[in-house]
Amino acid sequence: MVKILIRWIMVFFRIIPINSNKIVFSAFSGRFYGDNPKYIAEYIVKHKLPYNCVFVLENPKSESVPKEITVVKYNSIRYLYEMATAKVWIDNTRKQPHILKRKGQFYFQTWHGTISLKRAERDVERNLAESYVKTAINDSKNIDTLLVTNDWGEEYFKQFFWYSGPILKCGSPRLDLLFDYDLKLVDIIKQKIGVKKTEKIVLYSPTFRRDSSLKVYNIDYKLLKRSLEKRFGGEWKVIIKLHPNIKQLKLEIPQDVIDVTQYSDMTELYLISDFMITDYSSTMFDFSVLGKAAVLYASDVEEYMNDRDFVFNINELPYPLAQNNSELEAIITNFDEERYKMNLINFQRRVGLREDGKGAETIMNYITEKIRSSV
């Protein structure tokens, strides 16, 4: 009943002309002010481009958003109005099937991962709810252009995304920050999360399991810190960011480990971190764009492969794999930076990575041209 009502409301709003200067942004279905949509919106504000930016959030008061960007509540009447009258939609996840796209509107989909280790969408259709598959197929039909940040992804995204339309290959707006930032920002972010300026940071960023199990996140944090200090020197701090799908679960961690799961901007965490540990998350590919070291820690490789399977051979990635704490200690204490960087460069060449710090600029030039040509 609610979905039908929403559709009728959107149909009613069609009597209002489309605003050629309005762009509506959404990240993770309104859960965060972040990812690619945030960085495109802030590029528009910074460069004073002639667009009215509207950002959709479940809790508009939960995030600090620049005053130049209008914030509306997700699934509100105002949200439906903005969606119905905006020239452009920019999103990083699927849109609800009852959100109706008008003729003349342009939907740019950025997605939220550059390269994927684990299979997703159509590749794991057997594991997806029928309702999600229908939503995904409907969403892909509405997309006018899909962002892909590497040559490898051009064919793979078309395969698993139920998509055969235009693709724009360029850098990820959310990673632009890693190429151009003020050093003072590092100190500001560290202060926000409670880390000393002099401390080095290891970011632990694992993905979720379908059963929401926490038993796989069993890192020995004391041993981890000792290993890092032994190999790289300095004083280290561990920060943990859980996947949004399990952010509500309570993971027991030592008092000196900082839980940054609620911190919405992952790129800022990349920026301040010196080392990453993850498992099957695509964060490894993002984090290492500028050559930063990442190691995989996963005690359930076989089990996970049976559930999701991998696009790449996990043992052929540039990131060393540890399946228990002893192996993790050995990998860190014997970490060969030169070999790691050589393997990383070879992998990035293999996939044809396009990250250059100009993702938002390229996308806005593209969208502006599309708007001009449609007028």
Side-chain angles (χ1 to χ4, degrees), residues 219-287:
I219 283 183
D220 183 330
Y221 298 104
K222 287 184 180 179
L223 181 60
L224 171 60
K225 284 182 66 175
R226 285 202 303 268
S227 304
L228 290 165
E229 288 166 2
K230 180 180 178 181
R231 172 62 184 84
F232 300 104
E235 185 181 0
W236 285 77
K237 176 67 73 173
V238 181
I239 63 174
I240 297 176
K241 185 170 176 63
L242 297 178
H243 190 279
N245 287 2
I246 53 172
K247 68 177 184 178
Q248 75 284 359
L249 301 180
K250 186 64 178 176
L251 180 64
E252 291 186 16
I253 57 175
Q255 285 189 338
D256 64 338
V257 172
I258 300 175
D259 186 348
V260 292
T261 299
Q262 300 304 322
Y263 198 92
S264 60
D265 196 320
M266 190 64 168
T267 306
E268 291 187 353
L269 298 180
Y270 294 152
L271 184 63
I272 64 171
S273 298
D274 303 280
F275 199 94
M276 171 184 273
I277 298 174
T278 185
D279 41 26
Y280 318 113
S281 170
S282 62
T283 56
M284 69 180 91
F285 305 114
D286 289 349
F287 183 75

Side-chain angles (χ1 to χ4, degrees), residues 6-18 80-81 83-85 89 98-105 142:
I6 288 173
R7 291 175 75 92
W8 274 110
I9 292 172
M10 292 203 74
V11 169
F12 171 76
F13 282 139
R14 290 186 176 206
I15 65 174
I16 303 170
I18 291 172
L80 300 178
Y81 166 78
M83 290 295 292
T85 58
W89 298 346
H98 46 280
I99 298 299
L100 303 178
K101 182 183 167 194
R102 295 170 66 176
K103 183 179 180 181
Q105 290 186 310
N142 284 325

Side-chain angles (χ1 to χ4, degrees), residues 118 206-213 217 243-246 279-280 304 308:
K118 56 193 179 186
T207 192
F208 69 100
R209 274 48 172 190
R210 277 208 300 158
D211 61 1
S212 297
S213 171
Y217 313 127
H243 190 279
N245 287 2
I246 53 172
D279 41 26
Y280 318 113
Y304 197 89
R308 290 289 294 268

